[in-house]
Amino acid sequence: VQWCKPKDQDCYSPAVLCRDMDEDLETFKMLKELYPNRIQLLRYEDFMNDAVSKAQVITEWVGMNFTSSMKSFITKNTNTEINKPWTISRKSKEHLLHWTRTLSLGDLHEIQDSCARTMEKFGYKTVNSLQNLSAEDVFQDI
C-alpha cells in the first residue's frame, strides 16, 4: 500500500506484522474460550474465495435470514469489476491471488522466512514459485 513506507516498521516489516497476527490469534482464542458462541474467525481469503457461502454463514450465525436479495447483491458485486476507488465491485476471486503477480520472489522468501509459524497457524502454505498458483496451492482449512 502506498501509505506504508519502508521506514515504518509497523506496517512494512513482515516480522512485525506476523507478530501482530500471532497476538491477534491468541486474543481470539482467549475470547473464543470466554464467549464460545459469540466470536468467529474468518480469514479474508476465505471470504474472497467464497463470498456468498461465507456471508450466509455469518448472517445465519448472527440470527438473521440470508435472503435472495443478499445473495444477488454479493454475487453481483464480487463478480463485476469497476475500477474506481469508491466502488465495492471487485472480481474477488481474481484479487485473491493478486499478490502472486506483484510480489517479487525475494519478498516472498523474506515473508515466508519471517512468518513461517504464523502462516502455519493461519493455514497459509509456503510456496517456492509465484507461477500458476491456485487458492488450493496457498491456503488450507484452519
Side-chain angles (χ1 to χ4, degrees):
V1 285
Q2 294 178 0
W3 53 265
C4 180
K5 305 295 181 203
K7 64 183 177 200
D8 184 0
Q9 291 299 304
D10 284 339
C11 73
Y12 199 78
S13 166
V16 171
L17 175 62
C18 289
R19 184 192 67 223
D20 290 347
M21 289 177 67
D22 283 337
E23 291 171 3
D24 291 344
L25 186 58
E26 290 308 311
T27 301
F28 165 78
K29 289 176 181 178
M30 180 191 68
L31 291 170
K32 184 72 172 170
E33 192 170 305
L34 290 171
Y35 309 105
N37 298 319
R38 297 179 66 188
I39 188 167
Q40 292 289 328
L41 179 66
L42 175 64
R43 289 185 306 189
Y44 170 79
E45 294 85 0
D46 293 333
F47 193 83
M48 295 275 291
N49 198 39
D50 191 1
V52 171
S53 173
K54 296 302 179 191
Q56 183 172 358
V57 168
I58 293 167
T59 303
E60 291 171 355
W61 179 68
V62 299
M64 297 173 56
N65 293 322
F66 187 74
T67 65
S68 60
S69 62
M70 289 175 173
K71 181 179 180 178
S72 295
F73 178 84
I74 293 167
T75 300
K76 175 185 172 199
N77 286 288
T78 58
N79 291 294
T80 304
E81 187 77 27
I82 300 174
N83 195 14
K84 302 287 182 186
W86 59 82
T87 186
I88 61 168
S89 296
R90 297 279 187 265
K91 291 183 178 176
S92 59
K93 286 189 178 186
E94 288 181 16
H95 286 272
L96 180 62
L97 297 174
H98 176 76
W99 59 271
T100 66
R101 296 183 298 278
T102 59
L103 193 65
S104 73
L105 198 53
D107 286 344
L108 172 71
H109 290 303
E110 178 185 356
I111 292 165
Q112 291 184 154
D113 291 345
S114 299
C115 300
R117 267 195 2 237
T118 304
M119 291 174 61
E120 184 178 340
K121 290 178 190 177
F122 279 91
Y124 301 120
K125 300 176 184 178
T126 56
V127 295
N128 295 315
S129 168
L130 294 168
Q131 304 297 314
N132 303 317
L133 292 174
S134 69
E136 293 77 26
D137 296 325
V138 180
F139 314 114
Q140 60 193 10
D141 290 337
I142 55 171

